[in-house]
Amino acid sequence: MIEIRDMEQSDLKRVMEIESNSFVAPWNKEEMLYELNENKFSHLAVITNDNYIVGFYDYWETFDSATIAQIAVDPLYRRQHLGETLLNEIIKECHAKKIRNITLEVRKNNEKAVNLYQKYGFKTVLTKEKYYSNGDDAYYMIKELN
């Protein structure tokens, strides 16, 4: 059974495994602890399959805007629409909070993620050249909420 719940500190070991298997430049444990315990603007959740953590998200809420910091799904559980489920949850939460828009940066060469965001109405506003530490470009995307 698939469930989404708030992330807890006890989830961190598993979340860091997913983090390191999902990103070119993964966050370290201290950065994730900051998001979880100190960043007043962050909202973190995990998605579980029969109580086993298979993915997570982190987004930041400031005033009437939100920024998706991360959406990650364990590579062994991809292609099951779990990333889409996480994105839907973020959008649903933002609608409920009367947030006007959601922004994000995504690697220009991450076609699957770009296609997912476009499917949900995110529009590319600009390209940030050499945005990532390895020199990859990023698309800055935005979704307007009604």
Side-chain angles (χ1 to χ4, degrees):
M1 184 164 87
I2 301 295
E3 290 183 306
I4 297 175
R5 63 168 174 78
D6 289 343
M7 187 184 297
E8 300 170 1
Q9 191 148 336
S10 61
D11 299 327
L12 209 52
K13 182 177 182 207
R14 177 68 183 129
V15 166
M16 293 311 299
E17 290 171 2
I18 296 168
E19 173 81 14
S20 66
N21 290 322
S22 297
F23 297 107
V24 174
W27 289 3
N28 62 43
K29 186 176 180 180
E30 289 74 26
E31 290 167 314
M32 197 62 77
L33 278 168
Y34 173 79
E35 289 295 296
L36 189 59
N37 297 322
E38 296 179 48
N39 186 347
K40 295 182 271 189
F41 304 105
S42 67
H43 300 272
L44 294 100
V46 295
I47 188 167
T48 62
N49 183 354
D50 292 328
N51 294 316
Y52 182 69
I53 297 171
V54 296
F56 70 93
Y57 69 65
D58 180 6
Y59 75 90
W60 306 320
E61 178 187 348
T62 52
F63 304 104
D64 61 353
S65 180
T67 300
I68 297 174
Q70 296 184 304
I71 295 178
V73 174
D74 184 307
L76 297 174
Y77 290 85
R78 291 185 186 158
R79 304 190 58 82
Q80 298 177 33
H81 304 286
L82 298 174
E84 195 166 349
T85 301
L86 288 167
L87 180 58
N88 268 318
E89 184 68 16
I90 293 170
I91 293 169
K92 185 177 90 177
E93 285 185 20
C94 289
H95 269 294
K97 295 175 181 181
K98 308 279 193 249
I99 287 174
R100 291 180 180 228
N101 60 64
I102 304 172
T103 64
L104 59 88
E105 283 95 8
V106 61
R107 286 182 195 275
K108 185 177 173 179
N109 62 6
N110 187 346
E111 291 181 30
K112 289 180 184 179
V114 171
N115 290 338
L116 174 65
Y117 295 131
Q118 288 173 338
K119 177 180 175 181
Y120 280 86
F122 285 82
K123 306 285 184 213
T124 301
V125 177
L126 59 94
T127 301
K128 295 183 175 184
E129 293 184 15
K130 297 182 177 29
Y131 178 77
Y132 294 101
S133 60
N134 70 345
D136 283 353
D137 295 343
Y139 286 138
Y140 179 73
M141 301 181 83
I142 188 168
K143 176 179 176 62
E144 302 285 339
L145 300 177
N146 296 328

